[in-house]
Amino acid sequence: MTDNRPPRVRLRDITLQDADLLDAWDGATHTSGGFNDFDVPHEPLSRESLALGPLRDEHNGRFIVERIADDTPIGAVGWHEVRFGPNTPSTAWNFGIELIPDARGQGYGTEAQRLLAAWLFEWTTFNRIEASTDVTNLAEQRSLEKAGFTREGVVRGAQFRAGAYHDLVVYSRLRDDPD
């Protein structure tokens, strides 16, 4: 699904100057929302790792989502590899997104997810990109569909969060899917 409007967000590497902001986001329950309550203690970003360069390599990565109009960071996207077989061509990317509450519901997430998929397909050879979300997270399901992802089905009891197991809806895009 091609959108002819000018971009409103961009993805950029996380820098050392972003560390305090990301630590505040990651440590604050009011910004994470109900779908990211994993009861995992917050660990601050390694300033030493950030000083060495981008938070990405051949297995995973993370970008800042930045609003173009005012250069304001409004969230982050992260990805990691998953395997569907023992050979490299059976590897795919799985990603997630988190936006600050004030940026939600405005289409920024859809745009960021579309940009991330395009970037991953451009810079890597994997054929598949996937994301999953709680079955009750209808806003994220709509966002993934608007970003060109196809709903594949429900993975039952896959995620332990907020003290209980939750079902997830899985979405994907393949390299040869139309934009």
Side-chain angles (χ1 to χ4, degrees):
M1 170 189 292
T2 302
D3 189 344
N4 293 326
R5 293 180 295 180
R8 298 178 306 139
V9 298
R10 66 179 147 247
L11 303 180
R12 66 166 176 80
D13 282 315
I14 295 170
T15 66
L16 192 54
Q17 291 75 27
D18 298 313
D20 290 340
L21 177 64
L22 285 171
D23 281 344
W25 287 349
D26 290 347
T29 56
H30 73 276
T31 60
S32 64
F35 298 108
N36 287 319
D37 180 8
F38 292 103
D39 195 29
V40 176
H42 169 67
E43 292 188 25
L45 282 173
S46 165
R47 273 49 177 181
E48 294 80 23
S49 294
L50 275 173
L52 295 175
L55 289 182
R56 57 184 162 95
D57 60 28
E58 65 274 5
H59 304 290
N60 58 57
R62 195 169 177 198
F63 284 140
I64 287 279
V65 177
E66 188 172 75
R67 191 171 42 224
I68 292 173
D70 57 5
D71 298 327
T72 299
I74 59 170
V77 291
W79 65 94
H80 65 274
E81 66 178 32
V82 293
R83 293 241 176 196
F84 292 95
N87 59 343
T88 301
S90 297
T91 309
W93 294 117
N94 180 289
F95 77 89
I97 185 169
E98 183 69 35
L99 297 180
I100 61 173
D102 291 347
R104 296 177 190 157
Q106 301 174 54
Y108 295 133
T110 298
E111 201 172 322
Q113 291 173 130
R114 190 179 296 129
L115 287 171
L116 180 61
W119 187 89
L120 288 169
F121 283 137
E122 180 178 351
W123 292 101
T124 71
T125 61
F126 296 168
N127 184 57
R128 176 185 171 85
I129 300 170
E130 65 179 34
S132 57
T133 189
D134 192 279
V135 295
T136 62
N137 190 347
L138 301 179
E140 175 59 3
Q141 291 175 47
R142 283 190 302 274
S143 180
L144 286 164
E145 289 167 2
K146 288 178 183 177
F149 286 77
T150 300
R151 181 185 172 118
E152 294 185 330
V154 174
V155 183
R156 299 179 312 127
Q159 189 175 81
F160 189 80
R161 175 177 45 76
Y165 285 97
H166 295 264
D167 296 346
L168 299 176
V169 181
V170 177
Y171 286 82
S172 73
R173 281 194 65 184
L174 302 180
R175 185 172 290 281
D176 61 359
D177 282 349
D179 283 338

